[in-house]
Amino acid sequence: MSVQVLTTVARSMVAPGKGILAADESTGTIERRFKSIEVENTEENRRAYRDLLFSAKGMDQYIGGVILFDETLRQKSADGTPFPRLIERQGAIPGIKVDAGAKDMALCPGETITEGLDNLARRCAEYVKLGAKFAKWRAVITIGANIPSAACVGANAHALARYAAICQAAGLVPIVEPEVLMDGDNTIERCEEVTEWTLRETFAALASQRVAPEGMVLKPSMVISGKKCPKQAPVQEVAERTLAVLKRTVPAAVPGIAFLSGGQSEEVATAHLDAMNRLGGVPWLLSFSYGRALQQAALKAWKGSPANVAAAQAAFLHRARMNGLATAGKYSPDLEKRAA
Ligand code: 13P
């Protein structure tokens, strides 16, 4: 493994003005997304939808990396081009979700542990052959009564670190994603506390597994009020608290931080990223690795019909451009209205 090569890949995934398209929904997750637009979850519909996203002209200006699911990495565009090739032609780097999902954790009711370490080295070797240059593993931390537990935070940090080490040894840049869920009724203060704890444990585990911080990308959740909390913190407070926690916990050697959107609306996710880049004063590139916040409008415009492909691509490109501007602190809600 060459740390220098890993650093170069990591930097181009989050190059200024660009971010990552998370299109790695598992077959079960994409089913939920398709249900919302009444589209049947067939292999061909999944292929056609991803084809529409990856072939959108102009994507190269805003998207530096695309995360794929195992099935998608092996699929082809309508003209026969394998998706990893198409993505490269579009100026982005193809990557692969390698975790096997968050599963109920033994003896820890209400909590999950992410699985997928068994045979990971072998799978990574195959993914490299198929053209992947980076990988993703998502750990899930739930805030609730008496949770998270130390058992859950510790086990997920350890799994993330083992995954990251295996990826770097295979020549893949690991996206390390410890997601603190935003679905509860907790305050932003509680989210700050849990996020700081989780990131501390994660970086301690990464160091003990010898992971090079220079050759990874962090994909954290933002410090935000729980969705069901009656008091919702404003954009500026989310930006300030998120950066404060990152400064306390993330080594300056990490090249980039690409946030997940985690169920925030598209425009709010963009506004938060923009506010953080306006604050600045941090050693990392601050970017996005959004799934829902890049795709919601595109899915709605598509509705499974070939006649809507151009409209869906326009919706996707608009979101990508808004987030690209947010990576430079140059977004404004007015730009949404002008485009609409
Ligand atoms: P969201 O932005 O929809 O949270 O998805 C990002 C992702 O990759 C979750 O693992």
Side-chain angles (χ1 to χ4, degrees):
M1 130 188 160
S2 150
V3 175
Q4 217 174 345
V5 173
L6 295 174
T7 306
T8 306
V9 172
R11 283 193 181 286
S12 51
M13 287 156 65
V14 291
K18 293 191 187 184
I20 299 166
L21 165 64
D24 61 325
E25 297 85 359
S26 63
T27 307
T29 302
I30 201 74
E31 173 143 353
R32 289 204 297 279
R33 310 277 187 266
F34 278 5
K35 254 197 188 128
S36 70
I37 53 164
E38 292 172 16
V39 167
E40 203 191 335
N41 188 21
T42 61
E43 180 173 353
E44 173 51 24
N45 281 342
R46 294 192 291 273
R47 193 208 61 75
Y49 174 60
R50 267 66 179 252
D51 201 4
L52 152 190
L53 294 175
F54 308 156
S55 52
K57 280 204 182 64
M59 176 181 112
D60 57 313
Q61 291 181 64
Y62 320 112
I63 301 294
V66 179
I67 320 176
L68 304 170
F69 184 58
D70 182 280
E71 173 187 271
T72 323
L73 187 74
R74 302 166 197 275
Q75 284 176 324
K76 294 183 173 121
S77 182
D79 70 358
T81 311
F83 278 150
R85 284 303 91 65
L86 172 62
I87 288 164
E88 272 174 359
R89 247 187 8 221
Q90 287 274 59
I93 299 175
I96 177 78
K97 183 225 299 287
V98 299
D99 68 64
K103 305 287 159 65
D104 288 346
M105 184 165 162
L107 308 184
C108 294
E111 298 191 287
T112 61
I113 177 72
T114 301
E115 295 186 347
L117 288 173
D118 286 354
N119 299 322
L120 182 54
R122 186 176 48 70
R123 288 194 289 129
C124 283
E126 190 199 358
Y127 289 143
V128 167
K129 282 200 197 121
L130 288 168
K133 300 237 166 8
F134 69 90
K136 181 193 110 168
W137 177 290
R138 172 174 173 258
V140 180
I141 305 295
T142 307
I143 302 181
N146 300 316
I147 59 170
S149 65
C152 175
V153 173
N156 275 293
H158 181 260
L160 275 169
R162 288 268 297 122
Y163 139 80
I166 292 166
C167 285
Q168 288 193 340
L172 291 168
V173 171
I175 294 186
V176 172
E177 179 179 4
E179 174 171 7
V180 176
L181 292 181
M182 54 174 281
D183 302 332
D185 61 1
N186 58 278
T187 61
I188 192 170
E189 285 83 2
R190 178 69 178 138
C191 180
E192 176 170 339
E193 189 176 80
V194 171
T195 306
E196 181 168 342
W197 177 21
T198 301
L199 288 174
R200 251 186 228 299
E201 294 254 353
T202 300
F203 279 96
L206 288 165
S208 88
Q209 295 301 323
R210 308 180 174 177
V211 173
E214 292 85 354
M216 62 166 275
V217 169
L218 177 68
K219 174 164 174 168
S221 40
M222 297 176 194
V223 174
I224 198 168
S225 317
K227 249 189 184 160
K228 297 185 202 123
C229 178
K231 192 175 158 254
Q232 291 291 309
V235 169
Q236 192 62 18
E237 184 177 354
V238 169
E240 282 167 14
R241 284 186 191 265
T242 303
L243 288 193
V245 166
L246 294 171
K247 282 196 239 177
R248 289 179 207 133
T249 54
V250 183
V254 170
I257 298 182
F259 293 95
L260 61 92
S261 62
Q264 303 174 49
S265 79
E266 291 167 295
E267 294 184 20
V268 169
T270 306
H272 283 150
L273 177 63
D274 183 68
M276 285 190 263
N277 276 306
R278 280 176 199 265
L279 283 169
V282 293
W284 326 280
L285 293 155
L286 295 179
S287 181
F288 56 92
S289 174
Y290 293 162
R292 284 162 285 181
L294 270 173
Q295 294 184 51
Q296 244 158 253
L299 264 173
K300 259 201 216 155
W302 178 53
K303 293 192 202 80
S305 164
N308 297 332
V309 163
Q313 288 177 327
F316 164 54
L317 284 175
H318 170 68
R319 251 357 302 143
R321 188 167 81 86
M322 295 297 105
N323 286 304
L325 289 168
T327 66
K330 290 187 173 149
Y331 166 76
S332 111
D334 295 346
L335 297 167
E336 305 275 1
K337 286 188 213 104
R338 253 182 273 163

